[in-house]
Amino acid sequence: MQRFTDDSIKEFETRHNETLRRIAAECAVLLKKNGDFPLNGPCKVALYGNGARETIKGGTGSGDVNVRHFVTVEEGLEKAGFEITTKSWLDGYTACKAGETVRFYQKIKEEAEKDKKSVFAAALGKTPDEPEYDLPIDAEGDVCIYVLARNSGEGSDRQMKKGDFLLTDIETRDILRCAEMYEKFILVLNVGGPLDISSVLDQVDNVLLLGQLGTVTGDVLADIVTGKSNPSGRLTASWAKAEDYDVIENYDLDDTCYKEGIYVGYRNFDTADAEPVFPFGYGLSYSEFNTEIVTAELTDNILSVDVRISNIGHFSGKKAVILYYSAPKGKLNKPLRELGTYAKSSELRPQESKTVTLKLPLENMASYDEQKHSWVLEKGDYLISVDDLQACIIRLKGDVTVSEVNGLPVDTGFEDRKENGNRILADEIPVLMANESLLKGIGHFDRNRVSYPETEEIDLSSFTDDELIRTCIGRYDENSGTSIIGNAGNVVAGAAAESADLLNDKGYGKLVLADGPAGLRLATSYILNENGAFGNEFASIENIIPFLDEPLKSVLQTKVDTIKKISESAEKYYQFTTAIPIGTALAQSFNGEVAEICGDMIGEEMEIYGVNVWLAPALNIQRSPLCGRNFEYYSEDPVVSGLTAAAVVRGVQKHEKCSVTIKHFACNNQEYNRFGSNSILSERTLREIYLKGFEICIKQSAPKCIMSSYNLLNGTHTANHYDLLTTVLRDEWGFYGVVMTDWGTTDDNFNMGVHGPSDSALCIKAGNDWIMPGNHKNYARITEALTNGEITREDLEKCAGRILRLSKELS
């Protein structure tokens, strides 16, 4: 661990930003082009839009990263040599936005005082509305760039309204005016997820999904428009008109019914024969590519498809290819196609070709049969395609049970949607015969349970019951009996939590946990004394303390008073971290190497600042485009989610003393009423869509921690769900690490909703080892449960043993 007493830019910061700038264009998606871009070089640019100066590097909430500085679009273009001719427009918009922001937060404050809520809780995830303005679109320019931004975050969902999922009337007017007035015009989307731009699309010839790329966002755009970088991303979510998202009908307050079943995202649009504006997997390049199937072979029931990718255009670039399978109609209904795997070429010069190989174990095409409690491959022809090219048919003569599991029966009270896609087979296509005997009982995904390195058993004989209980609870302030949500660190300022002090006292070391997933979330500066590290951000929250409830109110006031008392004489320390591209953007690269490089950066910064456990990556499914945290998540597809998360995990955990925490397990697909929402879905939907990504990530990268989610799953809080956390996670998949709660899920002051909070004692019973961030109520409840026999010492030893094993490994 290093503590820096000067705020100079460190070598690792420069190196990380240079690396991000080199790779981040792979995360951007070119949606429309007419050949006007890239430009020959810097020139006069008419720059407009709410994201031009007020660029968004990533969403809000725990996923935000406190950086030294990030590059806006305006700054990035000027650094690249562009002359911006619209400074008066940008100044005018900035003034309008500032006024709207003041009014917005004043309204939040008034509502919070009226409802006797904290300003923090009332404002969480909410963003100011777009202001009304009438600024002229009349500046000169060799080129025009309009940057359209949208923000979202933890605590609130997006809305199907103008200024959010829809364009405002002013935005529509100005974009169309730019398209009409300027010979060269590009619409740049500085957004974290889909929005409906269909009202302007016919009149705009160039559209770039820049996304939110962290610290280097503005630099990356400058590189793309000048041709120094070529965008090579592909969409990981379907972009459709607002009226075409039928899943939004099942977005409820208390009980959310997943009636669409397995038909999520492109599975819905394909099977319903609906046409998105931009389909899943869509993405252009400045160049043009040709792909052809070279060979398709089946060896030991592993499909291998070689694809030749040729750059037939005029610019160097990369090309990703996606392999889909289409299962035959049988007893189980099937989507038209499902993603099996993908690969990306290296940088190809014009007229250069490379061959990439796509591999898919046949058992990964299995469907879940609820009646048999089994993963099955039904007999018939499985059509294999690489994007739009049909590669081969794999023929099964009979049904094959790939693996049997423990069933998780549930009565949802509704019938899942059941449809089959209509596929058309090419006249001449190779047929490969599967060896059914080799498939029987082989196991789903990677054929086996995850393998973790062997570790010595933890001897708990010297631990008292009281010490076991305290081990299973995050460190909290003994005087107040509570801790600060999202900022409970004592060793590292701004860290989200720490392990109980007794772990250190007993020689197991101290575990420090910090938020993610767009980087390492810490205080940028702090002061240090014998009581620990105090982030200077506490001084800025003094104005909201009167609106907080006890005991948090007193805890924060004490911290603020302490900082004031010692800040004049105490030495100041600095800890600046790097913001990487948001989760959705990372996945859009369709390149595990890009994700792993970003994970490696996080791991290095964890080592520098003394953080052991990163509370990321997040890989929930983007079930609805309205989820406020979709920007943190990777995709509407579970395979993309699992493979991207696994790459990030490998990057972080190649650092020996660093661990990830994959989250939120599971079905955390909305922010509205997130503490009390009950996700109701069938077992097949759960396993095929919402658990599959976690299964892939665990089996491919062996993450050391996992976080349960706030929501209930079919009537039981996930933190109290034995079948989820033990039967599936540990017994079926072989997960060997630590399970922790999300922050405050057991707190009745924090967890609102008709279903109430999760139970600390039942967390221990279910195999949820760690209660976060910890308070005295957790301690009292677990003590009570141990006394009255609801839980046993053996239950506690299992949970505490896993935490101690992790602490010994990482400290």
Side-chain angles (χ1 to χ4, degrees), residues 36 58 201 208 222 483 501 513 546 585 601 627 641 693 702 714 733 768 778:
D36 285 345
L201 202 54
L208 173 72
S483 56
D501 290 336
L513 299 79
M601 289 183 196
C627 177
S641 300
N714 291 326
W733 300 349
N768 193 319
N778 301 145

Side-chain angles (χ1 to χ4, degrees), residues 297-304 359-363 447:
E297 297 177 343
L298 195 58
T299 305
D300 294 335
N301 285 323
I302 296 178
L303 173 67
S304 180
K359 289 184 178 292
L360 181 69
L362 296 196
E363 65 267 21
R447 306 185 174 198

Side-chain angles (χ1 to χ4, degrees), residues 316-370:
S316 294
K318 297 184 178 184
K319 170 71 174 178
V321 289
I322 303 173
L323 184 149
Y324 296 95
Y325 61 90
S326 177
K329 296 179 181 179
K331 169 191 167 185
L332 302 174
N333 56 294
K334 311 282 176 37
L336 177 62
R337 59 177 181 151
E338 298 179 75
L339 186 148
T341 189
Y342 52 84
K344 195 169 193 176
S345 73
S346 58
E347 185 91 11
L348 298 179
R349 297 185 301 275
Q351 312 312 311
E352 184 180 9
S353 299
K354 287 282 178 68
T355 298
V356 300
T357 301
L358 296 155
K359 289 184 178 292
L360 181 69
L362 296 196
E363 65 267 21
N364 289 5
M365 299 191 299
S367 301
Y368 187 73
D369 188 324
E370 292 177 329

Side-chain angles (χ1 to χ4, degrees), residues 618-682:
L619 59 151
N620 294 99
I621 294 297
Q622 296 170 348
R623 174 177 176 255
S624 164
L626 297 186
C627 177
R629 294 183 84 171
N630 271 355
F631 70 95
E632 295 186 32
Y633 307 150
Y634 296 122
S635 178
E636 65 189 23
D637 181 81
V639 176
V640 173
S641 300
L643 293 178
T644 308
V648 173
V649 172
R650 288 193 296 270
V652 173
Q653 292 190 173
K654 69 173 59 173
H655 298 267
E656 186 180 0
K657 301 298 182 182
C658 296
S659 166
V660 301
T661 308
I662 63 173
K663 64 183 184 182
H664 310 85
F665 194 60
C667 301
N668 190 137
N669 305 113
Q670 66 186 59
E671 288 299 292
Y672 187 61
N673 189 39
R674 62 181 178 156
F675 302 119
S677 66
N678 179 23
S679 298
I680 304 174
L681 64 164
S682 68

Side-chain angles (χ1 to χ4, degrees), residues 57 59-67 120 124 154 485-487 492-497 512-524 537 575 577-579 602 605-606 609 611 614-615:
K57 75 178 191 305
T60 66
S62 63
D64 193 10
V65 181
N66 302 316
V67 297
F120 172 78
L124 187 63
E154 180 178 8
I485 297 293
N487 207 325
V492 178
V512 177
L513 299 79
D515 258 321
L520 200 59
R521 181 179 170 87
L522 300 173
T524 56
E537 77 277 8
Q575 47 186 16
T577 60
T578 306
I602 302 302
E605 294 185 6
M606 290 171 69
Y609 292 118
V611 174
W614 187 44
L615 303 177

Side-chain angles (χ1 to χ4, degrees), residues 59-214:
T60 66
S62 63
D64 193 10
V65 181
N66 302 316
V67 297
R68 175 193 297 273
H69 174 74
F70 77 94
V71 182
T72 66
V73 168
E74 180 184 24
E75 180 186 352
L77 292 174
E78 288 185 320
K79 284 169 58 182
F82 284 86
E83 179 187 345
I84 296 175
T85 64
T86 50
K87 290 290 188 178
S88 61
W89 192 98
L90 297 174
D91 291 342
Y93 178 82
T94 299
C96 292
K97 184 67 173 180
E100 179 61 35
T101 300
V102 169
R103 288 188 291 272
F104 173 80
Y105 284 110
Q106 181 61 37
K107 183 179 178 182
I108 291 286
K109 181 179 178 182
E110 292 171 357
E111 291 176 351
E113 291 175 348
K114 179 182 177 182
D115 297 336
K116 297 183 178 180
K117 293 181 178 179
S118 74
V119 176
F120 172 78
L124 187 63
K126 297 183 175 68
T127 56
D129 292 334
E130 275 300 303
E132 295 284 332
Y133 57 87
D134 188 13
L135 301 170
I137 304 291
D138 59 3
E140 63 173 329
D142 302 309
V143 65
C144 177
I145 299 175
Y146 188 103
V147 185
L148 179 69
R150 289 289 186 269
N151 206 355
S152 64
E154 180 178 8
S156 293
D157 285 317
R158 298 176 61 193
Q159 299 180 54
M160 282 291 180
K161 69 175 187 178
K162 293 179 179 179
D164 194 340
F165 196 82
L166 304 172
L167 302 184
T168 66
D169 293 339
I170 293 174
E171 289 169 338
T172 299
R173 177 200 69 193
D174 287 355
I175 291 169
L176 293 177
R177 173 64 176 145
C178 289
E180 176 185 14
M181 179 175 175
Y182 297 96
E183 183 177 349
K184 291 184 177 181
F185 171 61
I186 187 168
L187 173 61
V188 175
L189 305 177
N190 175 218
V191 299
L195 71 162
D196 188 348
I197 59 171
S198 59
S199 61
V200 300
L201 202 54
D202 287 344
Q203 284 75 43
V204 177
D205 294 327
N206 298 282
V207 182
L208 173 72
L209 171 57
L210 175 66
Q212 297 165 352
L213 302 179

